């Protein structure tokens, strides 16, 4: 090893030369002592080109596909690193050569939470040129929403604008994404092999989703529903129920913060009414299968598909329907569709449709995901759910939420599968934990508190909970009171909006306790939110910004950066729907 020296013509005085000479001598000594400890790079490791797989996810689907992509790429000779989009800085991203991005879309065309900061940087005016980057984007979405796969579309377009080389066309996957995603992954990895110098040799085949996790949406576990009890009071405007599924010998190992996918069945009364509309029985065969089976278990008949809406409108003579569907005003269409199901649409002008045409216009019936409200440390053999039953009367017919009323009224068992949420986890035992979960949003925080109780964690815990009326809507009141008495709950702040003339919400309580809330954040506190995304979560986020600005003495820009830092450090996470 050569010893560094100072050239004679270097512009240093004698004191500077002496200091630098001593520094270099010491550095040489340390390098000489430690060089033998540096492990040599193996030929096999050096020959495996790096591939970065990044995902943006809200419910875990994109992360799962990223795991499948990693297995496929490793089998082709790549050295793979998988991480969330929020785990890479833009300057680091700009230095990559080969990247696959797999992202879902949240809400109405928005970035999922863990892709938000990455997108802000990538779409900014200071984003670097990316001519050295080869990439592919896989987008997961739902055609029921106007912003179908919008997050993936935006990222794909922006990378192209910045000069990156697209090695495979973007795939936009609907809710039945598995087969299309698997094909895209194989094609994407195959396209990268000649570009990267990967061996391309097939190693061990990538593990199937079933082999990795045991039970999936396509292969669910049939579990007994052993507890079904009402939590809300008789005078409540809501019907909130507590459920417990027995895990038996399923091998399902869940964690506090995970969600449970439940595969529901449609209301038999609605199935029968649709069959009557077509003047056939539920036993009538459509493509070789009974209509009752198709409408009961296979297809979505509560929320009309866009294809059905368009087809019926083209045949119906309804000026109102045509106006709202073709008018281009999203809010007007949503208001008009509110509470309407497939039968309502058929009655507008679906008589011209044949039964086969009608079935071909339906979307597959999707599972519903619910935040798990138990900890495996407290309940290893059961999974608890906290669900509000959706019920309403419209045009003389009783209506209900597909899965919530299936569980409440008809299920003695159910097909379930785990949806891990690795970003929504209980913090380290010593970290302060702030939880905001009104209504059924308290579900994962009941699990968090059970977890901390079982661990004997020393970290402080603060829960903001609320609903409409304390007398009827204070669910799990006894448990929360016990945790408060035992000291597990350091603070319990309640907000019942209709118990007084002026509405009081969880964000109201946050603002009232702003000084201490900010102090908890300064002490390393983690901030969690669960519940309604459209209103509550946005109001809570706004209140958090106000608290930080007011009690941190920060302007708006600095408060936003403080919040963004919390997100980067995974200390501000949300489970919203």
């Amino acid at each position: 090893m050569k010893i560094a020296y100072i050239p004679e013509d270097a512009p240093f005085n004698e004191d500077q030369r002496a200091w630098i000479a001593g520094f270099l001598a010491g550095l040489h000594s340390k390098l000489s002592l430690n060089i033998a400890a540096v492990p040599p790079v193996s030929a096999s490791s050096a020959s495996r080109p790096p591939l970065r797989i990044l995902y943006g996810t809200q419910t875990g689907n994109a992360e799962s596909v990223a795991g499948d992509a990693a297995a496929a790429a490793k089998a082709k000779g790549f050295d793979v690193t998988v991480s969330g989009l929020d785990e890479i800085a833009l300057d680091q991203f700009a230095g990559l050569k080969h990247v696959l991005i797999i992202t879902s879309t949240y809400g109405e065309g928005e970035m999922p939470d863990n892709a938000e900061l990455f997108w802000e940087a990538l779409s900014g005016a200071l984003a670097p040129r990316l001519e050295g980057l080869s990439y592919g984007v896989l987008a997961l979405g739902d055609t029921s929403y106007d912003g179908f796969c919008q997050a993936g579309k935006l990222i794909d377009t922006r990378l192209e604008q910045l000069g990156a080389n697209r090695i495979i066309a973007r795939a936009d996957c609907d809710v039945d994404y598995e087969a299309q995603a698997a094909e895209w992954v194989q094609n994407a990895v195959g396209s990268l092999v000649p570009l990267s110098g990967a061996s391309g040799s097939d190693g061990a085949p990538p593990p199937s989703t079933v082999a990795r996790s045991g039970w999936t949406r396509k292969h669910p576990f049939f579990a007994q529903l052993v507890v079904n009890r009402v939590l809300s009071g008789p005078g409540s405007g809501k019907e909130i129920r507590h459920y417990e599924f027995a895990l038996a010998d399923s091998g399902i190992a869940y964690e506090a913060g995970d969600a449970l996918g439940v595969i529901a069945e449609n209301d038999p009364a609605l199935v029968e009414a649709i069959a009557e509309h077509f003047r056939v029985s539920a036993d009538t065969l459509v493509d070789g299968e009974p209509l009752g089976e198709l409408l009961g278990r296979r297809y979505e008949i509560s929320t009309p598909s866009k294809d059905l809406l368009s087809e019926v409108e083209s045949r119906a003579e309804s000026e109102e329907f045509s106006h709202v569907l073709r008018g281009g005003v999203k809010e007007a269409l949503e208001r008009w569709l509110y509470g309407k199901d497939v039968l309502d649409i058929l009655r507008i002008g679906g008589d011209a449709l044949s039964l086969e045409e009608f079935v071909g216009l339906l979307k597959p019936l999707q599972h519903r995901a619910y935040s798990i409200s138990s900890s495996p440390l407290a309940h290893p053999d059961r999974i608890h759910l906290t669900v509000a039953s959706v019920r309403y009367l419209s045009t003389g017919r009783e209506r209900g939420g597909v899965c919530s009323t299936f569980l409440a009224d008809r299920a003695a068992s159910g097909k379930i599968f785990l949806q891990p949420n690795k970003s929504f986890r209980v913090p380290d035992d010593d970290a302060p934990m702030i939880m905001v979960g009104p209504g059924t949003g308290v579900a994962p925080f009941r699990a968090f508190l059970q977890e901390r109780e079982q661990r004997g964690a020393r970290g402080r815990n603060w829960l903001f909970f609320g609903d409409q009326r304390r007398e009827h809507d204070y669910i799990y009141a006894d448990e929360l009171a016990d945790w408060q008495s035992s000291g597990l709950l350091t603070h319990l702040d309640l907000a019942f909006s209709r118990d007084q003339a002026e509405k009081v919400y969880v964000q109201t309580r946050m603002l009232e306790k702003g000084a201490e809330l900010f102090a908890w954040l300064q002490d390393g506190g983690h901030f969690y939110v669960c519940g309604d995304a459209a209103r509550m979560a946005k109001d809570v986020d706004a209140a958090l910004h106000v608290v930080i600005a007011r009690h941190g003495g920060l302007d708006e820009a600095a408060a936003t950066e403080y919040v963004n830092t919390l997100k980067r450090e995974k200390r501000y996470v949300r489970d919203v729907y």
Side-chain angles (χ1 to χ4, degrees):
M1 182 176 63
K2 294 183 178 180
I3 301 176
Y5 71 97
I6 306 171
E8 290 297 326
D9 58 350
F12 301 124
N13 60 35
E14 290 304 314
D15 290 338
Q16 289 170 329
R17 282 177 176 275
W19 186 91
I20 294 172
F23 172 78
L24 292 175
L27 181 62
H28 175 260
S29 176
K30 288 183 178 180
L31 287 173
S32 299
L33 290 172
N34 293 325
I35 193 167
V38 178
V41 178
S42 68
S44 61
S45 174
S47 65
R48 295 173 67 87
L51 171 62
R52 191 66 175 263
I53 299 177
L54 299 164
Y55 61 85
T57 188
Q58 198 72 30
T59 63
N61 289 337
E63 183 177 4
S64 177
V65 176
D68 290 341
K74 288 176 182 176
K76 290 291 187 181
F78 286 93
D79 181 16
V80 183
T81 302
V82 181
S83 60
L85 281 164
D86 60 350
E87 296 176 50
I88 188 167
L90 194 57
D91 57 349
Q92 181 187 5
F93 180 79
L96 300 177
K97 291 185 177 180
H98 306 112
V99 174
L100 298 181
I101 296 177
I102 300 161
T103 184
S104 63
T105 295
Y106 162 69
E108 295 290 346
E110 301 167 32
M111 292 288 162
D113 280 359
N114 79 322
E116 183 183 11
L117 295 179
F118 174 83
W119 172 245
E120 286 181 6
L122 188 70
S123 59
L126 299 179
R129 298 292 299 172
L130 300 171
E131 277 83 359
L133 177 69
S134 296
Y135 78 97
V137 174
L138 176 67
L140 306 184
D142 184 343
T143 51
S144 297
Y145 294 94
D146 289 337
F148 172 62
C149 286
Q150 185 67 13
K153 293 174 181 177
L154 288 172
I155 291 174
D156 182 40
T157 300
R158 182 57 173 161
L159 291 176
E160 181 182 44
Q161 290 172 346
L162 294 172
N165 171 42
R166 183 189 294 109
I167 53 97
I168 184 172
R170 187 190 69 250
D172 297 332
C173 302
D174 203 351
V175 288
D176 274 338
Y177 62 87
E178 286 90 348
Q180 185 181 3
E183 181 181 7
W184 183 91
V185 163
Q186 293 301 322
N187 291 337
V189 172
S191 298
L192 282 170
V193 167
L195 292 176
S196 64
S199 65
S201 60
D202 289 318
S208 69
T209 305
V210 171
R212 185 174 63 249
S213 60
W215 307 99
T216 68
R217 181 167 65 95
K218 297 292 188 182
H219 184 64
F221 175 67
F222 197 73
Q224 295 300 307
L225 183 60
V226 293
V227 174
N228 173 357
R229 73 170 186 268
V230 178
L231 293 174
S232 46
S236 175
K238 304 179 181 181
E239 179 191 304
I240 299 178
R241 290 176 178 259
H242 174 90
Y243 300 101
E244 296 182 18
F245 281 101
L247 298 179
D249 59 352
S250 66
I252 292 175
Y254 71 100
E255 294 186 51
D258 287 340
L260 187 72
V262 180
I263 298 175
E265 298 176 11
N266 284 313
D267 182 358
L270 180 57
V271 172
E272 187 64 31
I274 293 174
E276 289 178 0
H277 176 84
F278 284 98
R279 298 179 178 85
V280 298
S281 74
D283 296 329
T284 301
L285 297 181
V286 179
D287 293 331
E289 293 192 63
L291 178 65
E293 176 70 18
L294 294 175
L295 299 185
R297 295 184 175 88
R298 188 77 61 80
Y299 292 112
E300 178 69 64
I301 59 174
S302 178
T303 303
S305 70
K306 289 183 177 180
D307 289 341
L308 179 65
L309 291 172
S310 296
E311 190 63 33
V312 171
E313 186 275 331
S314 69
R315 302 179 184 220
E317 296 181 0
S318 171
E319 184 176 342
E320 180 188 18
F321 187 19
S322 297
H323 176 73
V324 295
L325 192 62
R326 296 172 181 248
V329 181
K330 175 183 169 184
E331 293 76 15
L333 179 59
E334 289 177 347
R335 286 194 299 270
W336 187 84
L337 283 174
Y338 184 78
K340 290 183 173 66
D341 57 25
V342 165
L343 182 58
D344 293 313
I345 303 304
L346 286 173
R347 287 175 172 172
I348 291 173
D351 293 340
L353 284 174
S354 71
L355 186 58
E356 290 74 14
E357 286 176 321
F358 163 69
V359 171
L361 294 169
L362 300 178
K363 284 178 62 68
L365 178 62
Q366 291 305 301
H367 72 277
R368 270 54 173 177
Y370 299 106
S371 302
I372 294 174
S373 56
S374 56
S375 162
L377 299 184
H379 303 279
D381 58 347
R382 292 187 180 186
I383 283 180
H384 298 186
L385 299 181
T386 309
V387 180
S389 304
V390 177
R391 303 182 192 274
Y392 58 99
L393 179 68
S394 179
T395 62
R397 284 196 291 127
E398 295 285 348
R399 320 287 182 102
V402 174
C403 194
S404 64
T405 56
F406 167 70
L407 289 173
D409 302 338
R410 303 188 301 277
S413 57
K415 296 176 181 178
I416 64 170
F417 62 97
L418 192 65
Q419 288 194 271
N421 189 349
K422 295 179 181 178
S423 65
F424 203 79
R425 291 286 185 252
V426 181
D428 293 339
D429 287 354
D430 292 331
M433 182 169 69
I434 305 160
M435 302 160 285
V436 183
T440 56
V442 77
F445 304 135
R446 179 177 183 263
F448 279 21
L449 289 167
Q450 287 181 1
E451 183 95 356
R452 282 207 143 177
E453 183 177 45
Q454 293 295 317
R455 285 186 190 175
R458 294 179 300 236
R460 294 168 288 164
N461 303 300
W462 190 346
L463 175 64
F464 290 89
F465 171 78
D467 211 312
Q468 294 181 352
R469 300 190 184 277
R470 179 172 184 141
E471 182 180 357
H472 304 293
D473 301 312
Y474 191 1
I475 61 175
Y476 300 121
D478 291 343
E479 293 181 19
L480 295 177
D482 288 345
W483 281 327
Q484 194 174 22
S485 298
S486 71
L488 180 68
L489 256 180
T490 311
H491 293 312
L492 174 61
D493 279 280
L494 303 172
F496 293 99
S497 61
R498 300 186 184 179
D499 277 350
Q500 60 283 312
E502 183 178 352
K503 297 288 180 67
V504 174
Y505 300 105
V506 286
Q507 60 267 26
T508 311
R509 299 300 186 214
M510 285 173 55
L511 294 170
E512 291 172 351
K513 301 294 181 67
E516 187 172 5
L517 197 159
F518 181 72
W520 279 44
L521 294 176
Q522 289 288 87
D523 287 344
H526 289 238
F527 188 82
Y528 298 88
V529 182
C530 180
D532 170 51
R535 290 168 295 183
M536 182 277 296
K538 291 181 179 179
D539 292 341
V540 166
D541 184 75
L544 180 64
H545 280 76
V546 170
V547 165
I548 289 168
R550 181 179 299 165
H551 299 284
L554 304 175
D555 60 21
E556 182 178 349
T560 297
E561 181 55 30
Y562 189 105
V563 171
N564 288 344
T565 299
L566 292 178
K567 292 177 180 178
R568 293 186 196 99
E569 295 175 350
K570 303 297 180 67
R571 291 171 51 210
Y572 176 17
V573 292
R574 309 188 308 168
D575 177 10
V576 296
Y577 38 85

